[in-house]
Amino acid sequence: MPSPIGDDMRPEVELYDTTLRDGSQGEGINFSVMDKLRIAEKLDSFGVHFIEGGWPGSNPKDIEFFAEAKRKRFRNARLAAFGSTRRKGVAVEKDDQVRLLLEAETPVVTIYGKTWTLHVKEVLRASPDENLAMIADTIRLLKDHGRYVVYDAEHCFDGYKDDSEYALATWQAAEKAGADMVVLCDTNGGSLPGEVEQITRFARSRLNIPIGIHTHNDIGLGTANAISAIVGGATHVQGTINGYGERTGNCNLTSVIPTVALKLNRRCISEASLRKLKELSQFVDEIANIRHDPRQPWVGEAAFAHKGGTHVNAVQKVVRSYEHIDPTVIGNSRRVLISDLAGRSNIVMKAHELGFKIESDTPELKDILSRIKSLEHEGYEFEAAEASLALVIRKILKHEEPPFKIEGYHVSIRRDRSIFVCQASVKVIVDGMAEHTIAEGDGPINALDQALRQALVKFYPQLKKVRLADYKVRILDSSSGTSARTRVLIESTDGKDEWGTVGVHDNIIEASMHALSDSLEYRVMKK
Ligand SMILES: [Zn+2]
């Protein structure tokens, strides 16, 4: 089969990720600025074409994100700030929300505007002409400032069904004002694939600029509607990783991407990236502190698991008999037949990414693989903790002793009326020398972090700038019938780079200590 996806060719379908904006509106999703930066970097290296970072006009966290993101260099993706058209009755130059969009200094700005007369008249309480002027004024101003402008036509399908002439007038107003594309949005998520395809064809026939699609999953058709729009001529698709989003979520890019590449055979992402799809999906869930859904299409643990005896038997004879696609192309694996070979090639690929020289015949590979498997069995997850993974590989590959050893620690918490005092003492050994420190902190983990860092900074001054940026705890299922285990994920930064480490133990303090120690060891090893 000729490859539908090429590395350096222009995509036939552009991928626009809005996990950080629309996705973060989902119940239970709360990204810190650091989380957002890590996800943006991951999306960029994966190869999406646009990353919508947030709405600077809606909250200060997003303003901070764009200020931080300015310092990053993205290799594949263009960063977009999201906002709305100017308010009614206000000159666009005087609109604060539009000003904040420009101040985000992103190459791309996405604005949404009203398509549906119901919204124009009853929600916005504006005249249809005023709404057209709001769309045109805002786009013109953004174009005057050199931005690539994506126009999101809100309630596009509902609006079209109510008054197709007015819907068309809004899209044409955007085109005439200089928008680079019009994105048809199924904001309420209740449209059907057939009508989405038909309305997309209509828009395509009336507009000269590219058409995009933005769907929601309220009746379980978010992905289907996005695919229908692409069949109808859309060349840009917006969605979120794992389908995060308001209510039942946005169209799931984790399903859309492989469907576009492997079922529609449209170029959208490289084959190498596609093989990292499952990893991307798990990474974002880990950062969001959400359990990865085993039944998720394409990337779920169960997506290619064969349990029924006849299925297993048939799959062993002819793989195609019970599988719609080879799971390895999206980084997933067949569960009954999980081969040592597949495990090996995944580790080799990951180790290369982390900068190790390792091949499939490197003698240490077997030990690395079995160590990782046993850690995973204990509850470790490395998708968002690559620094811990790098240490595991390094230790076995280089036969090196760690740069420091924690001999012991003690934590105490005391409450004195309303005042809490947390104190930690840590004893470490570096090059045969013992160092003993005591520190206080806001909580036990913070106190341990302070004490450990104080002990080590004398030997490794590079640790001075390291700080703990985020701390996440997950209680793991206790399948063995013993006590539940705790997984701790720590995100650290030295002001330049961010990295994640993980620890697992029955005891939350011990699990945290593993993750903390890995974080500092990783920074020391990095030189
Ligand atoms: Zn949306």
Side-chain angles (χ1 to χ4, degrees), residues 18 21-22 82 152 185-187 214-216 238 246 250:
T18 179
R21 202 274 305 169
D22 229 358
F82 177 87
D152 275 7
C185 302
D186 187 25
T187 311
H214 175 117
T215 58
H216 280 259
Q238 302 191 346
E246 264 176 289
N250 280 58

Side-chain angles (χ1 to χ4, degrees), residues 406-413 422-428 435-441 443-455 509 513:
I406 298 172
E407 280 280 289
Y409 63 87
H410 176 87
V411 197
S412 66
I413 306 169
C422 284
Q423 202 180 59
S425 67
V426 176
K427 190 178 170 194
V428 293
E435 186 70 31
H436 193 195
T437 48
I438 299 174
E440 286 189 355
I445 310 305
N446 183 240
L448 274 171
D449 178 41
Q450 299 290 341
L452 184 59
R453 216 123 41 87
Q454 269 177 36
I509 301 279
M513 202 55 178

Side-chain angles (χ1 to χ4, degrees), residues 186-379:
D186 187 25
T187 311
N188 292 358
S191 298
L192 295 169
E195 58 197 22
V196 168
E197 184 183 335
Q198 182 228 322
I199 295 167
T200 306
R201 278 189 202 285
F202 171 79
R204 183 105 179 76
S205 71
R206 297 302 185 90
L207 298 171
N208 297 308
I209 51 177
I211 307 284
I213 181 72
H214 175 117
T215 58
H216 280 259
N217 201 34
D218 293 78
I219 55 172
L221 294 174
T223 299
N225 284 336
I227 297 298
S228 290
I230 291 168
V231 170
T235 53
H236 165 115
V237 59
Q238 302 191 346
T240 61
I241 301 302
N242 300 328
Y244 297 172
E246 264 176 289
R247 310 186 303 276
T248 60
N250 280 58
C251 131
N252 187 348
L253 278 188
T254 323
S255 295
V256 168
I257 292 170
T259 306
V260 169
L262 302 167
K263 303 291 178 179
L264 295 182
N265 292 332
R266 305 275 176 91
R267 219 165 40 237
C268 67
I269 196 99
S270 73
E271 280 177 40
S273 285
L274 205 52
R275 277 196 295 276
K276 293 185 192 154
L277 187 69
K278 184 182 177 202
E279 184 198 323
L280 173 68
S281 162
Q282 286 177 304
F283 173 88
V284 175
D285 266 352
E286 275 293 303
I287 299 286
N289 211 0
I290 285 177
R291 202 177 296 275
H292 199 247
D293 178 4
R295 280 185 300 280
Q296 193 172 168
W298 297 94
V299 295
E301 277 302 311
F304 298 93
H306 302 286
K307 198 172 173 192
T310 53
H311 285 211
V312 173
N313 189 282
V315 164
Q316 275 165 339
K317 286 183 192 139
V318 189
V319 168
R320 241 170 0 114
S321 61
Y322 280 100
E323 279 177 1
H324 67 92
I325 201 117
D326 171 6
T328 59
V329 298
I330 36 128
N332 211 339
S333 52
R334 191 167 304 128
R335 280 270 288 289
V336 281
L337 297 172
I338 184 152
S339 67
D340 192 38
L341 208 68
R344 271 169 184 256
S345 58
N346 277 347
I347 293 297
V348 170
M349 199 167 81
K350 198 74 233 166
H352 280 177
E353 257 178 59
L354 295 171
F356 294 102
K357 287 199 180 77
I358 188 168
E359 297 308 329
S360 55
D361 56 357
T362 304
E364 286 85 358
L365 186 58
K366 205 167 149 255
D367 288 343
I368 293 173
L369 192 63
S370 73
R371 179 78 186 129
I372 291 169
K373 275 189 181 164
S374 88
L375 287 170
E376 283 178 341
H377 184 72
E378 283 176 42

Side-chain angles (χ1 to χ4, degrees), residues 378-523:
E378 283 176 42
Y380 278 77
E381 282 268 359
F382 293 106
E383 276 74 22
E386 291 190 340
S388 285
L389 181 63
L391 292 176
V392 170
I393 297 173
R394 190 187 168 98
K395 198 178 277 169
I396 298 174
L397 195 62
K398 309 226 163 162
H399 309 279
E400 268 179 6
E401 285 300 309
F404 58 86
K405 248 172 91 179
I406 298 172
E407 280 280 289
Y409 63 87
H410 176 87
V411 197
S412 66
I413 306 169
R414 183 164 53 87
R415 204 187 97 175
D416 211 344
R417 296 223 172 87
S418 62
I419 300 167
F420 273 98
V421 183
C422 284
Q423 202 180 59
S425 67
V426 176
K427 190 178 170 194
V428 293
I429 309 275
V430 185
D431 285 338
M433 279 193 286
E435 186 70 31
H436 193 195
T437 48
I438 299 174
E440 286 189 355
D442 304 334
I445 310 305
N446 183 240
L448 274 171
D449 178 41
Q450 299 290 341
L452 184 59
R453 216 123 41 87
Q454 269 177 36
L456 291 172
V457 87
K458 292 184 188 137
F459 304 94
Y460 306 110
Q462 66 267 46
L463 296 180
K464 215 177 282 171
K465 283 194 184 149
V466 177
R467 72 185 169 82
L468 200 154
D470 211 342
Y471 175 82
K472 295 187 170 92
V473 176
R474 174 93 53 88
I475 306 300
L476 305 174
D477 289 333
S478 75
S479 44
S480 57
T482 55
S483 63
R485 320 204 75 187
T486 306
R487 177 163 73 226
V488 168
L489 181 72
I490 282 180
E491 294 175 36
S492 309
T493 178
D494 56 7
K496 203 166 134 261
D497 294 312
E498 296 88 35
W499 60 95
T501 51
V502 60
V504 175
H505 200 269
D506 298 347
N507 181 306
I508 186 173
I509 301 279
E510 179 65 15
S512 309
M513 202 55 178
H514 283 201
L516 272 176
S517 159
D518 268 13
S519 164
L520 299 179
E521 187 179 334
Y522 177 77
R523 183 62 193 82

Side-chain angles (χ1 to χ4, degrees), residues 25-81:
Q25 317 259 7
E27 200 171 70
I29 309 271
N30 189 7
F31 294 131
S32 65
V33 171
M34 174 70 63
D35 291 339
K36 290 182 122 199
L37 288 166
R38 287 192 73 200
I39 292 174
E41 282 189 348
K42 191 83 175 173
L43 288 167
D44 176 54
S45 69
F46 178 77
V48 304
H49 308 102
F50 297 90
I51 298 168
E52 191 171 86
W55 186 347
S58 79
N59 66 72
K61 192 159 82 181
D62 285 1
I63 295 178
E64 194 189 331
F65 167 80
F66 285 113
E68 293 283 331
K70 255 178 241 174
R71 300 189 290 115
K72 302 264 172 207
R73 193 179 299 278
F74 293 106
R75 281 179 296 140
N76 299 304
R78 284 192 283 171
L79 199 61

